[in-house]
Amino acid sequence: MAILDRSFMIERGPVGVLLIHGLGGTPIEMRDVARALGASGHTVLCCQLAGHGGTADDLTATTFEDWYDSVLEALATLEQSCDTVLVGGLSMGAVLAALLAARQPERVRGLIMLAPTLRYDGWSIPWYSFLLRLLIDTPIGRRYQFEEREPYGVKDERIRAIIVRALRQNSGVAGLTATPAPALRELWRLVATIRPLLPTIRQRTLLVHARHDDIASLKNAVLLQARLGGPVDCLILDDSYHLVTLDRQRHLVTERVVSFIATLTTAIPPAVRQDRRPHETIAVPTTGAACHVA
């Protein structure tokens, strides 16, 4: 059976934003952000990655380069109607967005990383999860699936119940209930590819991460903030878990994304801004710093 493509596009102005969902997820994860950007006059494309939106077998039949090709194709689609393009993503989608920014620096003006996941090291991840790397090439390892579990990346109980209901319906709208081991290995390969490229990413970046992320700890954001090669703005959420685009503080996330794009697209071209420091540190809560806690 063919996979239903749930990609969607909101056509507005000449500034385009490409949004990328997470591993095993679907474009619905980015719906609220997309709507807010559309309401602000921006053209938005939420693409569905290769192998996603179907079965576990569909996902394991693809590699991270296939996912990247989906993003590259979506970028070309946006460029047909937009003069300026920014790229953003959630979780693994944020890492893919960074790879696009690294490989296509002339085509990507800015980067938005929402709950970026370089490692599954949040507080809900079982302590023995590290064994998968040791067993991935064994029959047991190849059959392993990372099951979604409480709290499903969402702190708000009402929203969590809606997500769990959608997952159990197994309709493909909310994505897979479990991530197969081969897909996790592709995530590891993606992370290994982007790590040495981080200093080459000179575009201004917005980092949004939950302090109590259940899937990917705040260490992921700290590492990225330290290694990215351009200016970094950050927003640390204090009342959300991993799915920051769906959880309690999603409105803060959308507001910050909209304001980040507004600032970036009306700013002086990057080549002129030579007096800016390459980084703003996460640890310094001084007035005017790029990092904010909500």
Side-chain angles (χ1 to χ4, degrees):
M1 181 182 294
I3 298 175
L4 177 62
D5 186 0
R6 295 179 175 84
S7 302
F8 64 90
M9 188 170 184
I10 301 173
E11 297 188 55
R12 295 290 187 272
V15 174
V17 186
L18 172 57
L19 297 177
I20 309 167
H21 61 78
L23 180 59
T26 69
I28 197 173
E29 299 169 352
M30 312 303 292
R31 184 178 58 188
D32 284 357
V33 177
R35 286 175 173 173
L37 290 171
S40 299
H42 303 311
T43 295
V44 187
L45 176 54
C46 293
C47 66
Q48 181 166 297
L49 301 175
H52 289 70
T55 66
D57 288 340
D58 292 324
L59 182 55
T60 57
T62 59
T63 68
F64 85 87
E65 290 290 1
D66 294 322
W67 309 338
Y68 177 78
D69 287 343
S70 299
V71 172
L72 201 58
E73 182 179 346
L75 174 63
T77 298
L78 268 180
E79 289 174 329
Q80 293 176 13
S81 58
C82 298
D83 302 325
T84 301
V85 176
L86 298 90
V87 61
L90 173 69
S91 192
M92 180 276 287
V95 185
L96 266 181
L99 184 61
L100 185 67
R103 289 181 173 178
Q104 308 291 333
E106 302 302 320
R107 301 169 68 185
V108 176
R109 177 66 185 276
L111 176 62
I112 301 162
M113 305 186 76
L114 309 176
T117 303
L118 302 174
R119 293 183 60 191
Y120 284 112
D121 60 352
W123 56 264
S124 73
I125 302 300
W127 66 268
Y128 51 82
S129 61
F130 74 94
L131 293 173
L132 181 58
R133 287 184 179 269
L134 303 177
L135 301 173
I136 191 69
D137 291 319
T138 68
I140 293 176
R142 285 191 291 268
R143 290 195 301 269
Y144 175 82
Q145 295 193 66
F146 178 76
E147 297 280 349
E148 292 286 344
R149 62 177 69 196
E150 291 285 347
Y152 295 92
V154 179
K155 188 172 185 179
D156 188 285
E157 294 181 358
R158 182 185 63 84
I159 299 172
R160 187 191 310 160
I162 295 172
I163 291 174
V164 171
R165 209 160 39 238
L167 285 170
R168 289 176 178 170
Q169 287 174 353
N170 201 28
S171 63
V173 174
L176 297 174
T177 58
T179 305
L184 292 174
R185 178 159 53 184
E186 288 306 309
L187 171 61
W188 300 341
R189 292 182 60 219
L190 169 61
V191 171
T193 300
I194 193 59
R195 277 181 180 271
L197 298 178
L198 291 175
T200 71
I201 299 176
R202 301 293 302 172
Q203 297 95 324
R204 192 177 194 99
T205 300
L206 172 63
L207 270 175
V208 177
H209 213 97
R211 177 179 288 117
H212 304 297
D213 192 312
D214 57 314
I215 303 297
S217 78
L218 190 59
K219 293 177 183 178
N220 288 266
V222 172
L223 184 148
L224 287 165
Q225 186 274 337
R227 296 190 183 180
L228 284 166
V232 179
D233 298 349
C234 62
L235 173 65
I236 308 302
L237 303 171
D238 65 355
D239 197 25
S240 295
Y241 289 160
H242 186 64
L243 297 179
V244 296
T245 58
L246 301 174
D247 212 346
R248 286 178 179 168
Q249 294 176 298
R250 62 191 181 280
H251 301 303
L252 287 175
V253 175
T254 56
E255 289 170 6
R256 187 58 181 273
V257 170
V258 169
S259 65
F260 172 78
I261 293 174
T263 300
L264 191 58
T265 54
T266 58
I268 301 172
V272 180
R273 291 186 277 111
Q274 298 178 354
D275 60 329
R276 286 191 181 274
R277 291 176 292 173
H279 294 289
E280 295 289 355
T281 178
I282 265 180
V284 182
T286 55
T287 302
C291 182
H292 298 276
V293 178

